[in-house]
Amino acid sequence: MCGIIGYLGTRTAAPLLLEGLAKLEYRGYDSAGVAILERHDEAPTTHRVRAAGKIAHLVTALEASPTNGTHGIGHTRWATHGGPTQDNAHPHFSEGVSVVHNGIIENHAALRARLLEDGFEFKSETDTEVIAHLIAQALKSHSRLHEAVQASVAQMQGAWALCVISERHPEEIVVARHASPLLIGLHDAETSGHATPEVFVASDVSAILNHTRSVLDLNDGDVATLTIKGAKITDVDLRQVTRRTRRITWNAVAAEKQGYKHFMLKEIHEQPKAIRDTILGHVDGDNIFSKRNFPLPSPHGRVILLACGTSWHAALCGKILIEQLARVPAEVDLASEFRYRQPVIREGDIAIAVSQSGETADTLAAIREAGRLGAKTLSICNVVDSSIARMTGDVIYTHAGPEISVASTKAFTTQLVALSLFSVWLAGRTSSDNGEDEGARDERERALLTTIRNLPSTIESVLEHRERIQRIARRYAQYRDMLYLGRGLGYPVALEGALKLKEISYMHAEGYASGEMKHGPIALIDETMPVVVIATEGPGYEKVISNLEEVRSRGGRVIAVATMGDTQIEQLAEDVIFVPPAHPMLQPIIASVPLQLLAYYIADQRGTDVDQPRNLAKSVTVE
Ligand code: M6R
């Protein structure tokens, strides 16, 4: 989940690399570095500058040690092997070869032992340094950098996106991809305003969008040589191949903060639009997914949802929606657990990966395994043409637009919209098998569609309560722990509310199914443990109210998320955040929004780095 950028052209590379790294910082931000080729008397030398900490530190280091080279690579790191120190920062270097890497080299210990025997000296604790030495070693028997990289990746196991420059090959950058994202940006004078040819490489398109909208996606196993004339690519079988060029249509301004203090706050406020776009993408009149032909589970088949983190919470809601609406058995797995528990896949099962980035390594591996075991695969992704989107048989895009904040918000609610639409679609194809009355089904579908269409304005009205939520947040910002309770669809909402709070405020927070309280967590309740209760109208409401009473009678302070017009709740809770009434099956989409705001304002009050919380990265591309 590190960020990679590379540039080769006629412009000074350093500012372009720094600009790209700033855009990629959400992928990791514990250290950063660049390696830029400089020509002195025509003999190229490497100008390598690295700094521990955020990119601002690298900027300062480069100011003290400037370079006007026009050919370089850069990296922002999220530590896996070796702490976040300057020595462990990329690029790593060996005999004129500089390498930046995203991923994990699983057999690095064996490779390191062999390279040490061969006389190479290691300067870092990283797995990446073996790659620099492998390539330097391969260059002793291969004159072309491309071949040396091919020979090196053939010895590696694990995942990599690599970007390599070499003093002996000053006209090229060689890149390689296997199970980690990487794309090439081709010369685009219209976007950059520069007529002279140039080429970029980056982990994701946001890093280069100001300079090119013409990108080439690499496949797993590809090695590519980039020169100012373009890219020459070989595939896993060493055959020369061409890859599709695509044009990026989304707007770079969408990735800027537009006046909000943080990307997270901006993205929370973008939810009405993101949801509207998701609906527009998939609903035409009264028809949902009208031109799509997703795989259907066989009469004894199941739907298996695979995801991590926030996307897993969306998948938990998806299970309930699919079972209740379509009466198809559904299971949810944490993607990181799925492939290690020898899962049973039967003929007619369909597996759905849910992922904002479409690059999460655990989810990618899980859906690959489900497919290998015979499930038909589908994904719900936000990032177009991401690895998961490309790997699965079909994809439902969420159209949330770029999500920059590490804490996921609009991706979550649009995933819930996509899962709701999919459940209604599936119900339309399975209800006759279940003996459901068609009239009743159609009526339910109409009611759900009406609520779905109203979601953007419903969420606008929730956002209008931001100041009240901010006031409530101030009252709770100094607590140490917080409990979140919900039942049915309110349970994943509680889990998600707790995850949001802990990841950005560093407060300890737990989500619990409210009926589970009495089986243990109730022991925690006292006046120092505020409890957020999802108490919106719907099935289970009365039982949630009983659980709320249990909290109160033990001295707990309650913040309730309740439906407007609920008069009893104000007698029971210290603070109430009201949300508009809605179909109970869609209430999670609405009830999640005030919890996002509550977490945001508490974190802001505590002065944390909201968009880039410590230890986290936006896209977790390592297992
Ligand atoms: O890109 P994905 O949806 O696959 O990411 C999965 C999780 O890493 C992600 O949801 C993570 O939990 C977020 N930081 C939550 O805000």
Side-chain angles (χ1 to χ4, degrees), residues 308-311 355-358 360 406-408 415 499-500 503 620:
C308 298
T310 288
S311 299
S355 174
Q356 186 285 130
S357 62
T360 300
V406 166
S408 190
Q415 284 168 346
L499 177 65
K500 281 294 85 84
E503 70 180 333
V620 186

Side-chain angles (χ1 to χ4, degrees), residues 518-590:
K518 54 189 176 294
H519 299 290
I522 201 160
L524 295 169
I525 304 293
D526 63 15
E527 64 287 353
T528 67
M529 172 74 89
V531 183
V532 178
V533 181
I534 320 305
T536 48
E537 269 169 12
Y541 170 78
E542 295 302 338
K543 291 208 162 50
V544 171
I545 294 298
S546 305
N547 300 136
L548 193 154
E549 298 269 22
E550 289 158 14
V551 171
R552 271 171 55 82
S553 60
R554 283 156 184 86
R557 292 186 65 165
V558 173
I559 308 165
V561 178
T563 309
M564 262 163 208
D566 182 340
T567 45
Q568 71 165 332
I569 199 86
E570 281 181 300
Q571 321 302 319
L572 301 175
E574 266 71 26
D575 292 289
V576 184
I577 303 169
F578 284 111
V579 294
H583 194 297
M585 306 224 80
L586 299 166
Q587 195 55 263
I589 303 173
I590 300 159

Side-chain angles (χ1 to χ4, degrees), residues 354-412:
V354 185
S355 174
Q356 186 285 130
S357 62
E359 301 294 348
T360 300
D362 288 320
T363 312
L364 188 62
I367 194 74
R368 184 187 285 125
E369 178 68 358
R372 192 186 69 78
L373 293 171
K376 294 199 176 108
T377 59
L378 175 67
S379 57
I380 295 177
C381 288
N382 189 39
V383 177
V384 175
D385 270 337
S386 53
S387 301
I388 292 173
R390 289 195 284 149
M391 170 179 289
T392 47
D394 215 329
V395 54
I396 300 172
Y397 285 119
T398 46
H399 304 296
E403 191 180 65
I404 304 296
S405 168
V406 166
S408 190
T409 53
K410 60 178 179 167
F412 176 65

Side-chain angles (χ1 to χ4, degrees), residues 110 116 134 196 243 251 255 266 293 368 422 510 614 623:
L116 281 168
L134 280 177
T196 44
R243 298 281 178 231
N251 186 346
K266 170 176 169 258
N293 207 3
R368 184 187 285 125
F422 178 75
E510 293 293 333
R614 68 188 181 202
E623 264 197 83

Side-chain angles (χ1 to χ4, degrees), residues 215-233:
V215 305
L216 240 166
D217 291 300
L218 293 175
N219 284 4
D220 279 351
D222 285 353
V223 174
T225 295
L226 316 183
T227 64
I228 52 165
K229 294 192 188 124
K232 276 202 178 135
I233 307 171

